[in-house]
Amino acid sequence: MSASAAVAKDAAQPQLGVGAQYDTTHVYVAPEDVDKFAASFLATFGGQSTKQVVATVTPTPSSTTSQLLQTPVGTVSLFGFKTPIPYPFGAERTGYLVTDMDEAVKAAKDAGADVLVATFPDPIGRDVVIQWPGGINMQLYWHTTKPSYAAFATVPENRVYVSPERADAFTRSFVRFSHGKVVSDDAKASGVEIGRPKDMYRRIRIESAFGKMTVLVTDGHLPYPYGRELTGYEVADLKDTLAKATAAGATILVQPFTSDRRDSAIVQFPGGYVAEIHAAAK
């Protein structure tokens, strides 16, 4: 297929994303930490939880508590598995709602993704787990009954760490699938953003109907906790948010710093979930 024919084919594909408010970070914690994590996360960012249910959310037998933590700055799908977690679940970073599951799987494969877990039913719809070039795992989901959630006050960013060898392939694949766009590609971003203030690295920012994504291109020489955070949450006041987080049992792993016109910090919530939090620099 010629390049122009490929572009025309991609343009003809439907927009599969529904909106950032339907995209969730998948958080797995021990059952005894579920309530502590939920209380801490909601106290930090506001919002509410859906009713907790016990369900099988994998194609093979398992049991987990499941609930959504819906905040103005991002949504978490929270799982507290009561059984061992079947492979490869727990390694998928996010769940993205799509308009049509079969079309989404086809589009992802056409864009270069691998299907790790073939489409399977869950109690409220269908799911698939895919892997993008660079080893980034993601779940796509579709609901039998179309959900309706309020738009976010600020759109969170999916934070993806990839190698220099696979960064371009990952970016091409995801942009093609998502009908998104690269909004910035900085080959000399400040290394302070990855815990290496004396160095520079490449940072790519992508936006699409699925929300925001920041691709951090590194050699993998990352001091803890960089690379452990799955999502970056944008708040109005970083200092105020960090005060709420620590009061609710979270720990600040990286103290606030300023780079790329934002003030950022990294925190760990009860149960182990690590998150980046940022606000526009004042």
Side-chain angles (χ1 to χ4, degrees), residues 41-143:
F41 193 80
L42 294 175
T44 300
F45 296 118
Q48 66 282 318
S49 174
T50 60
K51 183 180 179 181
Q52 184 184 103
V53 298
V54 176
T56 298
V57 298
T58 60
T60 53
S62 68
S63 178
T64 181
T65 62
S66 176
Q67 65 204 93
L68 284 180
L69 306 183
Q70 298 172 299
T71 84
V73 300
T75 298
V76 158
S77 290
L78 177 58
F79 303 107
F81 269 79
K82 298 173 177 293
T83 59
I85 304 169
Y87 177 86
F89 293 89
E92 83 287 355
R93 311 159 46 81
T94 47
Y96 279 2
L97 178 66
V98 295
T99 56
D100 184 300
M101 179 58 76
D102 295 329
E103 284 287 341
V105 172
K106 181 178 183 299
K109 290 166 68 174
D110 286 348
D114 188 18
V115 177
L116 295 187
V117 181
T119 307
F120 64 94
D122 71 17
I124 56 175
R126 299 171 73 203
D127 304 86
V128 67
V129 180
I130 59 176
Q131 184 177 78
W132 297 104
I136 305 302
N137 292 5
M138 179 182 292
Q139 190 156 324
L140 305 178
Y141 73 95
W142 173 85
H143 277 178

Side-chain angles (χ1 to χ4, degrees), residues 44 234-244 277-280 282:
T44 300
E234 182 181 352
V235 297
D237 187 310
L238 181 61
K239 183 178 180 181
D240 177 63
T241 301
L242 293 179
K244 291 178 181 177
I277 305 174
H278 60 270
K282 296 179 180 179

